[in-house]
Amino acid sequence: MRLSRFFLPILKENPKEAEIVSHRLMLRAGMIRQEAAGIYAWLPLGFRVLKKIEQIVREEQDRAGALELLMPTLQLADLWRESGRYDAYGPEMLRIADRHKRELLYGPTNEEMITEIFRAYVKSYKNLPLNLYHIQWKFRDEQRPRFGVMRGREFLMKDAYSFDLNEAAARVAYNKMFVAYLRTFARMGLKAIPMRAETGPIGGDLSHEFIVLAETGESGVFINRDVLDLPVPGADVDYEGDLTPIIKQWTSVYAATEDVHDAARFEQEVPADKRVNTRGIEVGQIFYFGTKYSDAMKALVAGPDGVDVPIHGGSYGVGVSRLLGAIIEACHDDAGIKWPEAVAPFRVSILNLKQGDAAVDAACEKLYAELTAKGVDVLYDDTDQRAGAKFAAADLIGIPWQIMIGPKGLADGKVEIKRRSDGSRETMSPADAVARLV
Ligand code: ATP
Ligand code: MG
Ligand code: MG
Ligand code: MG
């Protein structure tokens, strides 16, 4: 991509409305545009990152055996009356009427709809286990939308729903999602810690929130520092095998949100020098809720003995759009964003430090063509900005690798490569730069 052809509306000034760094940087880097309170348009740079994050979430859901579908954003109020949540949900639910005065709502979550789909088709335990997910926009009319995409009203969520014959099987499904979440967040360069959590309006008795530590987070958390060093399962993890040793390892080290924190246990279990009380961002939550929805909505399957029983369910959410904010909170410096490679909007940027100089232009074009041909996502800054402005923009938008090409270096046959994450620089020939970055 040539920057001269791209749509990257960088802001010079710090937007006043942004209270936290991720919101400020997303606005300044031209990633999002607020259209109404808590409702954002995703501009090209932000959209590229959103898609990358979405794809990692998808790959890890698929790997764990979940199946993707897509449910609509609008739902019938009557469906929610079946579970009793239409009245219980309260003002966070956006209620809409169509021209026939039929009551609709913009879905804040999809337990009811997926249960309706399930019960229409699945009648036997032989079709279980089943885990269906989608990645779809949600609406919650948050009392206080703030911090940009971190607490939006319209936001992108991955939500998966598992269906099993009994509690033991449902816990197997729960464990698969637990492991998939460990992998998902680690692939994005995040340390997201599973913490015991309250189940809230979803209901049920077993739940973990996945939380990224950050001072600007909205949840208070208490952890044993050791949890930060636990190993994340590799891509070869066997989802059909026994996952309980992994779950045990992660859940036996103290980590809890303030809602369920047990101060006495914390002090008893965790040595003083390992106690951490800080804040964090909830990037995902998993629930086992048993027969809450299947009882109310009659989602029954015939068991091996031919008797109909309500299925045991779980639901598993990831805040896909919130993750952009969480990643930036974790990966930035005073100059801007430092994208982890896996989610970066482009992997490499080429900075032409003397646009219009025939030799420099030619070297940049050649490098741009070679890297692009090798499948590298490159943003080529071919604008006529000064070098200083190009450096600042590149640091702000946080592309992991910058290749700087100017007349001086080029006279010696050299370009400079800067790694955004640690600022380290190296000088090498353009050919070596290509070899390094493919
Ligand atoms: P919160 O405690 O932040 O209000 P929640 O517990 O209400 O979140 P869940 O119902 O667990 O949210 O939804 C699953 C995930 O969706 C959350 O873990 C979070 O990452 C994301 N999410 C929830 N609300 C929002 C929002 N308003 N804006 C962006 N992401 C959100
Ligand atoms: Mg909420
Ligand atoms: Mg919550
Ligand atoms: Mg939650």
Side-chain angles (χ1 to χ4, degrees):
M1 179 65 60
R2 288 171 194 278
L3 187 53
S4 62
R5 304 276 169 80
F6 197 53
F7 182 65
L8 184 68
I10 284 180
L11 304 183
K12 296 239 157 47
E13 304 295 319
N14 269 329
K16 287 189 294 294
E17 71 269 29
E19 296 169 62
I20 61 170
V21 66
S22 58
H23 188 195
R24 187 159 66 235
L25 289 173
M26 286 184 79
L27 291 170
R28 284 201 50 215
M31 297 176 65
I32 51 169
R33 167 89 188 154
Q34 181 172 310
E35 294 299 329
I39 300 179
Y40 291 88
W42 292 80
L43 305 181
L45 191 76
F47 191 55
R48 289 178 77 98
V49 181
L50 187 68
K51 289 283 161 196
K52 290 257 171 90
I53 291 174
E54 181 184 330
Q55 186 55 23
I56 291 174
V57 172
R58 175 176 291 118
E59 285 170 14
E60 295 304 325
Q61 290 293 292
D62 293 348
R63 197 196 301 278
L67 302 170
E68 187 171 13
L69 48 60
L70 183 59
M71 291 177 271
T73 54
L74 295 185
Q75 308 186 24
L76 286 173
D78 279 344
L79 188 59
W80 283 64
R81 292 201 169 95
E82 285 193 45
S83 69
R85 280 208 296 179
Y86 189 66
D87 296 323
Y89 213 93
E92 254 192 34
M93 178 184 277
L94 179 64
R95 296 155 207 260
I96 307 164
D98 69 12
R99 63 164 77 191
H100 305 296
K101 309 248 172 356
R102 219 170 273 138
E103 292 171 280
L104 298 165
L105 57 102
Y106 194 130
T109 177
N110 285 64
E111 281 81 6
E112 283 78 0
M113 187 175 283
I114 200 74
T115 304
E116 189 281 319
I117 292 170
F118 177 87
R119 76 180 174 195
Y121 301 109
V122 183
K123 307 291 182 194
S124 163
Y125 78 97
K126 289 182 187 147
N127 300 113
L128 304 182
L130 187 62
N131 185 333
L132 300 170
Y133 77 97
H134 73 162
I135 302 174
Q136 177 62 292
W137 295 91
K138 305 291 187 289
F139 196 96
R140 295 183 184 176
D141 204 351
E142 301 277 355
Q143 168 100 318
R144 234 185 124 202
R146 57 182 190 153
F147 300 161
V149 299
M150 202 81 94
R151 184 166 299 285
R153 291 197 298 162
E154 190 182 51
F155 60 96
L156 190 60
M157 193 204 287
K158 183 284 299 180
D159 37 327
Y161 303 90
S162 65
F163 301 89
D164 284 281
L165 184 60
N166 52 40
E167 176 172 346
R171 283 180 185 263
V172 170
Y174 185 92
N175 290 350
K176 287 183 184 176
M177 287 294 107
F178 191 111
V179 170
Y181 278 36
L182 291 176
R183 288 195 39 77
T184 300
F185 301 123
R187 277 187 62 188
M188 297 171 193
L190 286 176
K191 269 193 201 290
I193 303 164
M195 305 198 189
R196 287 186 304 111
E198 214 132 56
T199 51
I202 308 266
D205 65 354
L206 173 63
S207 179
H208 286 88
E209 284 174 354
F210 286 73
I211 294 193
V212 174
L213 301 186
E215 291 300 330
T216 48
E218 294 184 284
S219 318
V221 301
F222 295 83
I223 62 166
N224 178 338
R225 190 184 301 286
D226 286 348
V227 78
L228 295 168
D229 301 322
L230 291 178
V232 170
D236 57 350
V237 61
D238 178 11
Y239 279 104
E240 297 314 313
D242 182 11
L243 298 175
T244 51
I246 301 174
I247 311 298
K248 277 227 177 71
Q249 181 180 40
W250 278 88
T251 52
S252 57
V253 183
Y254 194 97
T257 61
E258 59 198 349
D259 309 339
V260 297
H261 174 57
D262 177 344
R265 224 193 97 195
F266 188 56
E267 271 158 40
Q268 193 188 356
E269 274 180 25
V270 187
D273 61 329
K274 295 200 166 166
R275 289 179 207 149
V276 180
N277 173 14
T278 180
R279 305 196 68 75
I281 301 164
E282 178 191 333
V283 289
Q285 184 166 14
I286 58 178
F287 298 91
Y288 163 64
F289 49 67
T291 59
K292 180 178 153 100
Y293 297 94
S294 55
D295 276 333
M297 298 182 64
K298 302 274 174 302
L300 310 177
V301 296
D305 55 5
V307 177
D308 277 353
V309 291
I311 63 90
H312 285 249
S315 69
Y316 315 91
V318 170
V320 175
S321 49
R322 175 178 289 183
L323 274 164
L324 277 93
I327 293 169
I328 297 173
E329 290 294 322
C331 310
H332 70 271
D333 61 15
D334 289 343
I337 303 167
K338 303 200 272 189
W339 291 116
E341 294 215 13
V343 300
F346 297 93
R347 180 144 179 274
V348 174
S349 60
I350 297 174
L351 309 190
N352 182 332
L353 303 183
K354 191 142 198 223
Q355 201 71 40
D357 175 302
V360 176
D361 288 356
C364 286
E365 290 290 341
K366 183 157 182 281
L367 203 58
Y368 176 54
E370 280 177 11
L371 285 168
T372 305
K374 294 206 152 91
V376 181
D377 259 343
V378 185
L379 182 65
Y380 169 25
D381 190 343
D382 60 343
T383 63
D384 45 23
Q385 297 269 353
R386 291 173 300 107
K390 291 190 179 187
F391 296 143
D395 279 354
L396 173 64
I397 66 174
I399 312 298
W401 298 95
Q402 300 170 8
I403 308 178
M404 290 165 280
I405 308 186
K408 249 213 214 121
L410 207 55
D412 300 332
K414 302 284 191 210
V415 301
E416 193 176 26
I417 293 192
K418 174 177 153 185
R419 190 177 176 160
R420 180 67 180 96
S421 59
D422 59 6
S424 60
R425 291 161 186 270
E426 265 183 90
T427 303
M428 62 185 76
S429 72
D432 287 345
V434 172
R436 168 70 67 88
L437 294 172
V438 292

